[in-house]
Amino acid sequence: MADDLVSNRKAKFQYHLLESWEAGVALLGSEVKSLRDGQGQLQDAYVDHVRGELWLRQCHIAPWTSASWTNHDPLRDRKLLLKKSEILKIAKYVERKGLTLIPLSIYVNERGKIKIRIALAEGKQAPDKKAALKARQAKREMDRIRKGDRD
């Protein structure tokens, strides 16, 4: 997978990620150029299932500075492009209580197409988040100790 243009860094901290998919995104030209400049945010974004289609909502892609007066709306809904069988499978998962679809990253694949990685997620409770922080801190401490032993 290529480098991320935009990533949702807090997703792994706030959610248990169960399964992920790669999807295409219907974008305008000015949105593509803005994303390639790194002018996007997935922080509050989510994926919604509406009448057999998946839509990316609340994804902020800044207006491209060199575009004309026909620039895009930064928070417009964007259609995700997946096979019908995948959409039906995802819809069954989302119907289960407590599960949601979140975008993880937007990137350019090997063929030069802009793709989005979406994941089925379950929200973490506060104790789970605290445990993740403690585990991360313990790992850092162990890495520091190991690094000190080598020198």
Side-chain angles (χ1 to χ4, degrees):
M1 185 167 37
D3 292 332
D4 291 345
L5 298 173
V6 179
S7 64
N8 189 350
R9 295 177 54 196
K10 289 190 174 185
K12 289 181 183 175
F13 178 71
Q14 294 177 336
Y15 299 97
H16 293 289
L17 304 179
L18 305 175
E19 191 172 348
S20 68
W21 295 272
E22 177 184 75
V25 188
L27 297 172
L28 301 174
S30 60
E31 291 174 326
V32 171
K33 292 180 181 191
S34 193
L35 279 174
R36 287 185 185 263
D37 281 344
Q39 301 296 315
Q41 286 184 348
L42 290 176
Q43 202 163 13
D44 297 326
Y46 63 97
V47 178
D48 198 10
H49 178 258
V50 180
R51 290 179 287 185
E53 296 177 335
L54 294 179
W55 292 87
L56 179 62
R57 300 193 191 270
Q58 295 299 315
C59 172
H60 185 276
I61 300 175
W64 190 49
T65 56
S66 300
S68 67
W69 59 272
T70 59
N71 219 332
H72 64 274
D73 176 23
L75 289 173
R76 79 177 187 93
D77 296 340
R78 294 160 183 95
K79 185 176 179 179
L80 298 184
L81 309 171
L82 284 162
K83 292 182 179 179
K84 196 68 163 178
S85 60
E86 288 178 322
I87 293 174
L88 292 174
K89 180 180 174 183
I90 291 169
K92 286 180 184 177
Y93 283 130
V94 173
E95 288 174 5
R96 189 177 131 200
K97 188 177 182 207
L99 296 182
T100 186
L101 281 171
I102 58 167
L104 298 178
S105 65
I106 298 176
Y107 58 93
V108 179
N109 71 356
E110 301 83 28
R111 300 173 70 190
K113 304 290 183 189
I114 292 186
K115 300 289 182 176
I116 185 168
R117 171 81 40 200
I118 60 172
L120 188 66
E122 183 176 29
K124 284 186 180 179
Q125 301 297 323
D128 295 335
K129 291 179 185 180
K130 287 180 184 177
L133 285 174
K134 285 182 183 179
R136 189 179 320 144
Q137 188 175 10
K139 184 181 181 308
R140 278 190 198 137
E141 190 64 34
M142 291 301 293
D143 289 344
R144 279 191 205 126
I145 292 169
R146 285 189 196 132
K147 188 175 182 180
D149 290 342
R150 291 182 190 165
D151 291 340

